[in-house]
Amino acid sequence: MAATEKAEADKILQIKRAEGEAESKYLSGLGVARQRQAIVDGLRDSVLGFAVNVPGTTAKDVMDMVLVTQYFDTMKEIGSASKSSAVFIPHGPGAVRDVATQIRDGLLQGNAAS
């Protein structure tokens, strides 16, 4: 009888642990979704504000500038970390637009596959 009760208690513990883990993953997913939505909202506001304040610019021009800025911020972070491995990415005056195009194409391909 004791073995049966212990087995039942172990079963309940495993179920509760799995439920807690599932809830944790669900809440983590909600957090990531909210973070991404905040990023999109911020980018939209930036694009609209920039286009209004700088006549003649398009949303694509602003997004290219944002991508290039993020690229250089990433390169700076990699270079400033004391224990980072080197990452070599071809870049030069004409390659920045290529990097922006590659990032954009990669995002679009990822969205198409979803």
Side-chain angles (χ1 to χ4, degrees):
M1 182 75 138
T4 303
E5 293 294 324
K6 181 171 178 3
E8 189 64 29
D10 288 344
K11 175 184 168 186
I12 292 171
L13 284 173
Q14 285 180 342
I15 290 170
K16 291 297 180 184
R17 192 176 302 122
E19 287 173 352
E21 198 172 309
E23 181 70 13
S24 173
K25 288 179 180 180
Y26 171 76
L27 292 174
S28 177
L30 282 179
V32 169
R34 288 181 182 151
Q35 179 186 27
R36 290 179 179 163
Q37 186 60 50
I39 290 169
V40 168
D41 292 344
L43 284 172
R44 183 188 61 242
D45 294 345
S46 294
V47 168
L48 292 174
F50 194 89
V52 167
N53 292 320
V54 182
T57 58
T58 65
K60 183 183 178 315
D61 295 334
V62 177
M63 289 307 296
D64 284 345
M65 186 178 67
V66 168
L67 285 171
V68 169
T69 302
Q70 288 179 339
Y71 169 78
F72 285 123
D73 287 347
T74 301
M75 294 300 288
K76 179 181 171 187
E77 287 294 319
I78 291 169
S80 66
S82 63
K83 293 186 178 183
S84 70
S85 299
V87 175
F88 295 98
I89 301 173
H91 62 282
V96 172
R97 182 166 301 279
D98 292 341
V99 169
T101 301
Q102 290 172 11
I103 293 169
R104 191 178 314 100
D105 291 347
L107 291 173
L108 293 175
Q109 287 174 1
N111 287 338
S114 297

